Amino acid sequence: MATVDIAAELRRIASTTDDKDIRDMAEKIADFEERRVDAGTYLVDDVLPVDTEWAELFAEVAEEGQKAASRMHITICGMARNIGGILPLTLMRLRALGLRFADFNIVVVENDSEDDTKEVLLNAAENSDGKLAAKCQDFGWPHLHGFEPARVERYAMLRNQYREIVATDFRHTDMVLAVDLDCWGGWSLPGLINGIGWMKRHKAAACMASTSLFQGLHIGDDLHFGHYDTWA
C-alpha cells in the first residue's frame, strides 16, 4: 500500500509557493500533522467508526450496496490542479474503489498545474489499460482560493468537461461518482458502498451527496470541526 508523508508534502508546498498565506498555513498544518497522527496506523474507518446504534443498519445497507456494485459499471470523476504529491495515492484509492464494481473507469480533468501533476496524471493514464482518461490543459488562470465568482464559473466549466467525456465515451456507465482528488486522509470504502445501497433502496433518488466533517486548525491555534472542502 502506497503511503504519503502529509507533513513533508505540506512543507514542500510551503517552500515552493509565493503566496504568504498559503505558506504560513501549510507550515502550521504540517506542524499539527506531525503531532497528530501516526501515518502507519491511520485508517479512516478507525478514526470515525460507525456509531454503535447504526452499525447493524449500516452493515445491512452496505451488503446490499456491494451486491448492486458487483453488477454495475461506475465512472469516477474529478478535477486536478497542483496535487502531484497526493495524486498517486489518490489514483490507487480510486482503483481500489473501482474494483468493488463489475467494471470502472476514471476521468480526471486537469488545468494550469505548476508541479508534476500533469506528468503524474498522463503517465498513470498511459499505464492504466484504458481505465483512466486524463485531460490536461493550460488556461493561464491564477490559482484562486476564496469565494470568487470566477472560481465558481471555472469549476462549473471543468465539471462540465468531465460530464461531457462521460456522456461521449462512457455512455454505458450505470453510475457517475464525483470525488475530491486531494482528500489527504482518503475515504471510507464501506461508507461509499453503503451509499450505493441507499441509492438502491430509494429508487426515485437521482443522486447522493456527502460533505465530510474534519477536525483541524483554522486561523489561530484551536482545533475545530468544519466541512471538508465543500468546493470539491
Side-chain angles (χ1 to χ4, degrees):
M1 179 69 174
T3 60
V4 60
D5 187 329
I6 295 176
E9 179 61 17
L10 286 166
R11 294 201 187 282
R12 184 193 66 79
I13 292 171
S15 69
T16 57
T17 183
D18 294 326
D19 188 312
K20 183 179 183 301
D21 290 339
I22 294 176
R23 181 171 60 252
D24 291 347
M25 185 54 66
E27 290 175 346
K28 181 171 291 187
I29 298 175
D31 289 339
F32 172 68
E33 285 293 330
E34 288 176 342
R35 299 192 308 269
R36 184 178 69 91
V37 70
D38 174 2
T41 60
Y42 176 84
L43 293 172
V44 173
D45 296 299
D46 292 338
V47 174
L48 289 173
V50 178
D51 291 340
T52 302
E53 63 178 312
W54 304 111
E56 184 176 348
L57 176 61
F58 180 92
E60 177 184 309
V61 179
E63 182 178 357
E64 295 172 14
Q66 185 54 63
K67 288 180 180 177
S70 68
R71 300 187 295 270
M72 296 169 60
H73 179 283
I74 189 170
T75 304
I76 309 167
C77 302
M79 303 179 296
R81 181 172 183 176
N82 293 336
I83 60 170
I86 191 65
L87 187 55
L89 183 55
T90 295
L91 293 174
M92 179 177 289
R93 288 167 171 162
L94 295 182
R95 179 173 177 80
L97 172 60
L99 291 174
R100 296 289 193 104
F101 292 78
D103 199 4
F104 71 95
N105 286 94
I106 301 167
V107 178
V108 179
V109 172
E110 180 276 343
N111 74 282
D112 294 292
S113 292
E114 297 171 338
D115 63 356
D116 62 347
T117 297
K118 283 182 171 64
E119 179 183 352
V120 171
L121 186 56
L122 293 174
N123 183 65
E126 185 177 347
N127 293 281
S128 70
D129 295 323
K131 292 297 184 185
L132 171 60
K135 180 173 184 175
C136 297
Q137 54 214 321
D138 289 303
F139 299 108
W141 291 342
H143 203 166
L144 303 177
H145 301 281
F147 297 95
E148 302 90 347
R151 188 183 184 200
V152 179
E153 293 168 0
R154 292 169 187 173
Y155 274 26
M157 189 200 84
L158 294 169
R159 288 190 172 110
N160 277 329
Q161 284 187 352
Y162 66 60
R163 184 187 63 81
E164 290 162 5
I165 292 171
V166 174
T168 301
D169 298 338
F170 306 111
R171 296 174 61 89
H172 60 288
T173 198
D174 298 299
M175 181 169 289
V176 176
L177 172 66
V179 297
D180 183 354
L181 297 183
D182 66 342
C183 186
W184 290 90
W187 46 77
S188 166
L189 282 180
L192 285 166
I193 295 301
N194 176 271
I196 303 296
W198 283 113
M199 287 285 289
K200 290 302 178 181
R201 284 196 174 193
H202 295 273
K203 305 207 180 283
C207 68
M208 176 176 287
S210 173
T211 303
S212 299
L213 290 175
F214 76 100
Q215 186 180 29
L217 294 174
H218 193 48
I219 306 301
D221 297 321
D222 296 329
L223 289 173
H224 77 294
F225 279 99
H227 289 293
Y228 185 89
D229 200 354
T230 307
W231 289 93

